Amino acid sequence: MTTQEQTLVDADKLAEGLRRVTPFMGQHLEGVYLESRGGKVGLTASDGYRLAHLDLALDFPEGDWWLEGGPAKVFATTYHQGEKLPVAVGDKEYLKVVSYTLTVKVGKYPDYRQFRPETWETMALVATRPWIKAIRGRKADLVGHWVRMGLVVSQAGCWLLWANRDETLAEEELPAQMVSGPEKKVVLEPEYMSRALTSCGKETTI
């Protein structure tokens, strides 16, 4: 394979981006879709039920690649010591990052944009740690019950509720720095929610 293009890439920034989206990969959509245009990189992963998309300011060879999940995870979990690593593109069949090969999958990644909302009625700015602690703690307490977890977001505050078919088993108020929009009530899968919050860093907007 001939090398068509080579760019020095902030390896730790790329690894951090991959680390934040790889938990959302699924069996049938295994991998990360990487789009690079004009110094900006978009990373997308989905399992068909959840979708994670992250935009980064990052120098990278221009193009679109559906990266194999396994090699992407290895690269994401490696500490690169702040290095600028050369990324070589070989006929768009692979991305070579020094000793790492990010293999490109055959096929076309689904058009994720049609499933990504452009506007949001209700938003809450939250610190992720107390939310993760509440979700994981209650999940452990309620093992064995037929339980669903609900989230209420309103101007009056945010609450998590755990309920079975007959009654509310527990509820917990959660801190939010800012809430805008009308009240919303949604049902969530606890493990999916905690993974999503973990991938977001110290603060995020819900």
Side-chain angles (χ1 to χ4, degrees), residues 25-30 46-47:
M25 297 186 304
Q27 181 179 357
H28 300 294
L29 281 174
E30 190 264 350
S46 176
D47 60 5

Side-chain angles (χ1 to χ4, degrees), residues 81 95 104 130 188:
Q81 301 179 331
L95 300 177
V104 176
L188 301 166

Side-chain angles (χ1 to χ4, degrees), residues 23-39:
F24 297 87
M25 297 186 304
Q27 181 179 357
H28 300 294
L29 281 174
E30 190 264 350
V32 175
Y33 188 53
L34 187 154
E35 304 163 278
S36 177
R37 299 285 188 282

Side-chain angles (χ1 to χ4, degrees), residues 5-84:
E5 189 176 353
Q6 184 167 299
T7 303
L8 286 176
V9 172
D10 184 331
D12 282 319
K13 194 169 186 179
L14 176 60
E16 172 64 18
L18 290 171
R19 219 169 14 248
R20 292 174 64 179
V21 300
T22 49
F24 297 87
M25 297 186 304
Q27 181 179 357
H28 300 294
L29 281 174
E30 190 264 350
V32 175
Y33 188 53
L34 187 154
E35 304 163 278
S36 177
R37 299 285 188 282
K40 294 183 179 180
V41 166
L43 300 172
T44 304
S46 176
D47 60 5
Y49 299 94
R50 304 168 299 154
L51 186 147
H53 179 85
L54 179 66
D55 290 317
L56 300 172
L58 184 68
D59 288 330
F60 203 87
E62 296 212 350
D64 302 335
W65 295 275
W66 185 359
L67 305 177
E68 291 276 4
K73 279 186 175 180
V74 171
F75 187 86
T77 54
T78 302
Y79 178 55
H80 300 282
Q81 301 179 331
E83 291 184 280
K84 296 272 189 178

Side-chain angles (χ1 to χ4, degrees), residues 142 145-148 161-170:
L142 299 172
H145 295 267
W146 188 95
V147 175
R148 290 293 181 267
L161 300 95
W162 289 261
N164 61 22
R165 293 182 178 90
D166 303 313
E167 61 180 341
T168 298
L169 301 173

Side-chain angles (χ1 to χ4, degrees), residues 101-179:
T101 300
L102 299 176
T103 315
V104 176
K105 293 172 69 72
V106 176
K108 186 177 180 181
Y109 198 80
D111 182 8
Y112 67 88
R113 293 174 183 83
Q114 63 180 310
F115 304 109
R116 184 185 177 195
E118 296 295 330
T119 59
W120 307 87
E121 284 190 331
T122 302
M123 296 187 293
L125 177 63
V126 305
T128 56
R129 183 172 292 180
W131 283 58
I132 295 168
K133 182 178 179 181
I135 293 169
R136 290 179 176 173
R138 290 293 181 179
K139 182 184 175 186
D141 292 341
L142 299 172
V143 168
H145 295 267
W146 188 95
V147 175
R148 290 293 181 267
M149 186 184 80
L151 171 64
V152 179
V153 179
S154 73
Q155 299 282 348
C158 300
W159 288 267
L160 285 175
L161 300 95
W162 289 261
N164 61 22
R165 293 182 178 90
D166 303 313
E167 61 180 341
T168 298
L169 301 173
E171 62 179 83
E172 184 170 346
E173 186 172 3
L174 295 173
Q177 298 176 36
M178 181 181 68
V179 179

